[in-house]
Amino acid sequence: MALRSVAQASTAKPAVALYRNICKELPRIMTIFSLDIPAPVVRGRIADMFRANAHVKDERVVRMLVTKGYLELEETVLQYKTRHQLLNKIDPTQLRTHVKKQSFMEGFLSGTV
């Protein structure tokens, strides 16, 4: 029993460290890409991405996910990503409630298609 809690604690620490590093770099990233989304909203979306993988318990998979997270952070800070790629990661289309969907015919008649 104690061994399991030690294993879970050892896999949680790198993920928490990654989240803290992302939060530290967030103001710089928002300035570089001139994001108009408030920082708490972005931080919440990042936390949701972490929560989506909270069920993972295998230490190797956790290490792989943390490594991928650090690579994503490095690519973002070094501007290997475009603004559009970053916005799709942070604000995916299924979460955009402010955008009204138009049918093809409505778009055609309004001249936007």
Side-chain angles (χ1 to χ4, degrees), residues 15-81:
V16 171
L18 172 62
Y19 180 75
R20 287 182 180 165
N21 285 337
I22 290 173
C23 287
K24 285 179 186 175
E25 293 291 335
L26 193 59
R28 188 166 118 192
I29 291 169
M30 292 182 69
T31 303
I32 290 171
F33 290 98
S34 59
L35 298 178
D36 54 353
I37 304 171
V41 172
V42 176
R43 209 172 293 121
R45 300 268 169 84
I46 292 169
D48 291 340
M49 290 178 204
F50 275 84
R51 285 187 202 106
N53 292 313
H55 67 280
V56 177
K57 302 295 181 207
D58 188 9
E59 191 174 332
R60 294 174 298 168
V61 177
V62 171
R63 273 197 319 253
M64 182 213 41
L65 289 171
V66 168
T67 302
K68 283 179 65 176
Y70 275 113
L71 287 173
E72 289 274 339
L73 177 61
E74 183 180 4
E75 289 174 356
T76 304
V77 170
L78 294 175
Q79 298 180 22
Y80 293 161
K81 291 181 178 282

